[in-house]
Coordinates of all heavy atoms in Angstrom, one line a residue:
Y210 N -10.6 7.8 3.8 CA -10.4 6.6 4.4 C -10.1 6.9 5.9 O -9.1 7.7 6.3 CB -9.2 5.9 4.0 CG -9.1 5.7 2.4 CD1 -9.0 6.8 1.5 CD2 -9.3 4.5 1.9 CE1 -9.0 6.7 0.2 CE2 -9.3 4.4 0.5 CZ -9.0 5.4 -0.4 OH -9.1 5.3 -1.8
L211 N -10.9 6.4 6.9 CA -10.9 6.9 8.3 C -10.2 5.8 9.2 O -10.4 4.6 9.1 CB -12.2 7.3 8.8 CG -12.8 8.6 8.2 CD1 -14.2 8.8 8.8 CD2 -12.0 9.8 8.6
H212 N -9.9 6.3 10.4 CA -9.4 5.5 11.6 C -8.0 4.8 11.3 O -7.7 3.7 11.9 CB -10.4 4.3 11.9 CG -11.8 4.9 12.1 ND1 -12.2 5.9 13.0 CD2 -13.0 4.5 11.4 CE1 -13.5 6.2 12.9 NE2 -14.0 5.5 11.9
M213 N -7.2 5.4 10.5 CA -5.8 4.9 10.4 C -5.1 4.8 11.7 O -5.4 5.6 12.6 CB -5.1 5.7 9.4 CG -5.7 6.0 7.9 SD -5.9 4.4 7.0 CE -7.7 4.2 7.2
T214 N -4.0 3.9 11.8 CA -3.3 3.8 13.0 C -2.4 5.1 13.1 O -2.1 5.8 12.2 CB -2.4 2.5 13.0 OG1 -2.0 2.3 14.3 CG2 -1.4 2.5 12.0
Y215 N -1.9 5.2 14.3 CA -0.9 6.2 14.5 C 0.3 6.1 13.5 O 0.9 5.1 13.4 CB -0.4 6.1 16.0 CG 0.8 7.1 16.3 CD1 0.6 8.5 16.3 CD2 2.0 6.6 16.6 CE1 1.5 9.3 16.6 CE2 3.1 7.5 17.0 CZ 2.9 8.9 17.0 OH 3.8 9.7 17.3
E216 N 0.5 7.3 12.9 CA 1.6 7.4 11.8 C 1.4 6.3 10.8 O 2.4 6.0 10.2 CB 3.0 7.3 12.5 CG 3.3 8.6 13.4 CD 4.7 8.5 13.9 OE1 5.4 7.5 13.8 OE2 5.2 9.6 14.3
G217 N 0.1 6.1 10.4 CA -0.1 5.0 9.4 C -0.6 5.5 8.1 O -0.9 4.7 7.3
V218 N -0.4 6.8 7.8 CA -0.8 7.3 6.5 C 0.7 7.3 5.8 O 1.6 7.9 6.3 CB -1.3 8.7 6.6 CG1 -1.5 9.2 5.1 CG2 -2.6 8.7 7.2
L219 N 0.8 6.6 4.6 CA 2.0 6.4 3.9 C 2.2 7.4 2.9 O 3.2 7.3 2.0 CB 2.0 5.0 3.4 CG 1.7 3.9 4.5 CD1 1.9 2.6 3.8 CD2 2.8 4.0 5.7
K220 N 1.3 8.3 2.6 CA 1.5 9.4 1.6 C 1.3 10.8 2.2 O 0.9 10.9 3.3 CB 0.3 9.2 0.5 CG 0.3 7.9 -0.2 CD 1.7 7.6 -0.9 CE 1.6 6.2 -1.6 NZ 2.9 6.1 -2.4
E221 N 1.7 11.8 1.4 CA 1.7 13.2 1.8 C 0.8 13.9 0.9 O 0.5 13.5 -0.2 CB 3.1 13.7 1.8 CG 4.0 13.1 2.7 CD 5.4 13.7 2.7 OE1 5.7 14.5 1.8 OE2 6.2 13.3 3.5
I222 N 0.3 15.1 1.4 CA -0.5 15.9 0.6 C 0.2 16.3 -0.8 O 1.4 16.7 -0.7 CB -0.9 17.2 1.3 CG1 -1.9 16.8 2.5 CG2 -1.6 18.3 0.4 CD1 -2.3 18.0 3.4
G223 N -0.5 16.2 -1.9 CA 0.1 16.5 -3.1 C 0.6 15.3 -3.9 O 0.9 15.4 -5.1
D224 N 0.7 14.1 -3.1 CA 1.2 12.9 -3.9 C 0.2 12.3 -4.8 O -1.0 12.4 -4.4 CB 1.5 11.8 -2.8 CG 2.8 12.0 -2.1 OD1 3.5 12.9 -2.5 OD2 2.9 11.2 -1.1
N225 N 0.6 12.0 -6.0 CA -0.3 11.3 -6.9 C -0.4 9.8 -6.5 O 0.9 9.2 -6.3 CB 0.0 11.4 -8.3 CG -0.1 12.7 -8.8 OD1 -1.4 13.2 -8.9 ND2 0.9 13.6 -9.2
V226 N -1.5 9.1 -6.4 CA -1.5 7.7 -6.2 C -2.2 6.9 -7.3 O -3.2 7.4 -7.8 CB -2.2 7.4 -4.8 CG1 -1.4 8.1 -3.6 CG2 -3.6 8.0 -4.7
A227 N -1.9 5.7 -7.6 CA -2.5 4.9 -8.4 C -3.5 4.0 -7.8 O -3.4 3.7 -6.6 CB -1.5 4.0 -9.3
Q228 N -4.5 3.6 -8.6 CA -5.6 2.7 -8.1 C -4.8 1.3 -7.6 O -4.0 0.8 -8.3 CB -6.5 2.3 -9.1 CG -7.7 1.4 -8.6 CD -8.8 1.3 -9.7 OE1 -8.4 0.7 -10.8 NE2 -9.9 1.8 -9.5
G229 N -5.1 0.9 -6.5 CA -4.6 -0.4 -5.9 C -3.2 -0.1 -5.1 O -2.6 -1.1 -4.6
E230 N -2.7 1.0 -5.1 CA -1.3 1.3 -4.5 C -1.7 1.5 -2.9 O -2.6 1.9 -2.5 CB -0.9 2.6 -5.0 CG 0.5 3.1 -4.4 CD 1.0 4.3 -5.0 OE1 0.4 4.9 -5.9 OE2 2.1 4.8 -4.4
V231 N -0.7 0.8 -2.1 CA -0.8 1.0 -0.8 C -0.7 2.4 -0.2 O 0.3 3.0 -0.6 CB 0.2 0.1 0.0 CG1 0.1 0.1 1.4 CG2 -0.1 -1.4 -0.5
I232 N -1.7 2.9 0.5 CA -1.6 4.3 0.9 C -1.6 4.5 2.5 O -1.3 5.6 3.0 CB -2.9 5.1 0.3 CG1 -4.1 4.3 0.8 CG2 -2.8 5.2 -1.2 CD1 -5.5 5.2 0.3
A233 N -2.0 3.5 3.2 CA -2.1 3.7 4.6 C -2.2 2.4 5.3 O -2.4 1.3 4.8 CB -3.3 4.6 4.9
L234 N -2.2 2.3 6.6 CA -2.3 1.2 7.5 C -3.5 1.4 8.3 O -3.7 2.5 9.0 CB -1.1 0.9 8.4 CG 0.2 0.7 7.5 CD1 1.4 0.7 8.6 CD2 0.2 -0.5 6.7
S235 N -4.4 0.5 8.4 CA -5.7 0.6 9.2 C -5.4 0.7 10.7 O -4.4 0.4 11.1 CB -6.7 -0.6 8.9 OG -6.0 -1.8 9.4
G236 N -6.4 1.2 11.4 CA -6.3 1.4 12.8 C -7.5 1.5 13.6 O -8.6 0.8 13.2
N237 N -7.5 2.2 14.7 CA -8.6 2.2 15.6 C -8.7 3.6 16.3 O -8.9 3.8 17.4 CB -8.6 1.1 16.7 CG -9.8 1.0 17.6 OD1 -11.0 1.3 17.0 ND2 -9.6 0.7 18.8
S238 N -8.4 4.6 15.5 CA -8.4 6.0 16.1 C -9.8 6.7 15.9 O -10.5 6.3 15.1 CB -7.3 6.8 15.2 OG -7.6 7.0 13.8
G239 N -9.9 7.7 16.8 CA -11.0 8.5 16.7 C -12.3 7.9 17.1 O -12.3 7.1 18.1
W240 N -13.4 8.2 16.5 CA -14.7 7.6 16.8 C -14.8 6.2 16.3 O -15.2 5.9 15.1 CB -15.9 8.5 16.1 CG -17.1 8.3 16.7 CD1 -17.8 7.1 16.9 CD2 -18.2 9.2 17.0 NE1 -19.1 7.2 17.3 CE2 -19.3 8.5 17.5 CE3 -18.1 10.6 17.0 CZ2 -20.4 9.2 17.9 CZ3 -19.3 11.3 17.4 CH2 -20.4 10.6 17.9
S241 N -14.4 5.3 17.1 CA -14.4 3.9 16.7 C -14.6 2.9 17.8 O -14.0 3.2 18.8 CB -12.9 3.6 16.1 OG -12.9 2.3 15.6
S242 N -15.4 1.9 17.6 CA -15.7 1.0 18.7 C -14.8 -0.3 18.6 O -14.9 -1.1 19.4 CB -17.1 0.5 18.4 OG -17.4 0.0 17.3
G243 N -13.9 -0.4 17.6 CA -13.0 -1.4 17.4 C -12.1 -1.2 16.2 O -12.6 -0.4 15.3
P244 N -11.1 -1.9 15.9 CA -10.3 -1.8 14.7 C -11.1 -2.1 13.5 O -11.8 -3.0 13.2 CB -9.2 -2.9 14.9 CG -9.1 -3.2 16.4 CD -10.6 -3.0 16.8
H245 N -11.1 -1.0 12.5 CA -11.9 -1.2 11.3 C -11.4 0.0 10.4 O -10.8 1.0 10.7 CB -13.4 -1.2 11.5 CG -13.9 0.2 11.8 ND1 -13.8 0.8 13.1 CD2 -14.7 1.0 11.0 CE1 -14.5 1.9 13.0 NE2 -15.0 2.1 11.8
L246 N -11.8 -0.2 9.2 CA -11.7 0.8 8.2 C -13.0 1.4 7.7 O -14.0 0.7 7.5 CB -11.0 0.3 6.8 CG -11.0 1.3 5.7 CD1 -10.2 2.4 5.9 CD2 -10.7 0.5 4.3
H247 N -13.2 2.8 7.8 CA -14.4 3.4 7.3 C -14.0 4.0 6.0 O -13.0 4.7 6.0 CB -14.9 4.4 8.4 CG -16.0 5.3 7.9 ND1 -17.3 5.4 8.4 CD2 -16.0 6.4 7.0 CE1 -18.0 6.3 7.8 NE2 -17.2 6.9 7.0
I248 N -14.8 3.8 5.0 CA -14.5 4.5 3.7 C -15.8 5.0 3.1 O -16.9 4.5 3.3 CB -13.8 3.5 2.8 CG1 -13.4 4.2 1.5 CG2 -14.8 2.3 2.4 CD1 -12.5 3.4 0.6
Q249 N -15.7 6.2 2.5 CA -16.9 6.8 1.8 C -16.3 7.7 0.7 O -15.2 8.1 0.6 CB -17.5 7.8 2.8 CG -16.6 8.9 3.4 CD -17.3 9.7 4.5 OE1 -17.7 9.1 5.5 NE2 -17.4 11.0 4.3
V250 N -17.2 7.9 -0.3 CA -16.8 8.7 -1.4 C -17.8 9.9 -1.4 O -19.1 9.7 -1.4 CB -17.0 8.0 -2.7 CG1 -16.7 8.9 -4.0 CG2 -15.9 6.9 -2.7
N251 N -17.2 11.1 -1.3 CA -18.0 12.4 -1.3 C -18.1 13.0 -2.7 O -17.2 13.0 -3.5 CB -17.4 13.5 -0.4 CG -17.4 13.1 1.0 OD1 -18.0 12.0 1.4 ND2 -16.7 13.8 1.8
N252 N -19.3 13.5 -3.0 CA -19.6 14.2 -4.2 C -19.2 15.7 -3.8 O -20.0 16.3 -3.0 CB -20.9 14.1 -4.8 CG -21.2 14.9 -6.0 OD1 -20.4 15.9 -6.2 ND2 -22.3 14.7 -6.7
S253 N -18.2 16.2 -4.3 CA -17.6 17.5 -3.8 C -18.5 18.6 -4.1 O -18.4 19.8 -3.7 CB -16.2 17.9 -4.2 OG -16.2 17.8 -5.6
F254 N -19.5 18.4 -5.0 CA -20.4 19.5 -5.3 C -21.6 19.5 -4.5 O -22.4 20.5 -4.6 CB -20.9 19.2 -6.9 CG -19.7 19.3 -7.9 CD1 -19.2 18.1 -8.3 CD2 -19.1 20.5 -8.1 CE1 -18.1 18.1 -9.2 CE2 -17.9 20.4 -9.0 CZ -17.5 19.4 -9.5
I255 N -21.8 18.6 -3.6 CA -22.9 18.6 -2.6 C -22.3 18.9 -1.2 O -21.5 18.2 -0.7 CB -23.6 17.3 -2.6 CG1 -24.1 17.0 -3.9 CG2 -24.7 17.3 -1.5 CD1 -24.9 15.7 -4.0
Q256 N -22.7 20.0 -0.7 CA -22.1 20.4 0.7 C -22.8 19.7 1.8 O -24.1 19.6 1.8 CB -22.2 21.9 0.8 CG -21.4 22.7 -0.4 CD -20.0 22.3 -0.3 OE1 -19.3 22.2 0.7 NE2 -19.3 22.1 -1.6
P257 N -22.1 19.3 2.8 CA -22.7 18.8 4.1 C -23.7 19.8 4.7 O -23.5 21.0 4.7 CB -21.5 18.8 5.0 CG -20.3 18.5 4.1 CD -20.7 19.4 3.0

């Protein structure tokens, strides 16, 4: 989940999260032309 706002990630590394649980606040950080959420699912067995 990309482009979260400053200090907008509500979880820490190692936390378990449930489907539908609030995890972050959207933003406009980084490579972004306007406020939005970028989301993708990676197959960890296929390398970039």
Side-chain angles (χ1 to χ4, degrees):
Y210 309 72
L211 287 175
H212 309 304
M213 302 300 106
T214 192
Y215 173 67
E216 295 187 342
V218 177
L219 307 180
K220 300 294 180 181
E221 298 180 354
I222 292 177
D224 285 350
N225 288 295
V226 298
Q228 184 176 65
E230 182 178 353
V231 176
I232 56 172
L234 303 175
S235 68
N237 187 33
S238 60
W240 194 315
S241 177
S242 59
H245 75 285
L246 169 68
H247 171 109
I248 189 168
Q249 61 191 55
V250 176
N251 291 356
N252 182 341
S253 59
F254 299 104
I255 301 177
Q256 299 301 317

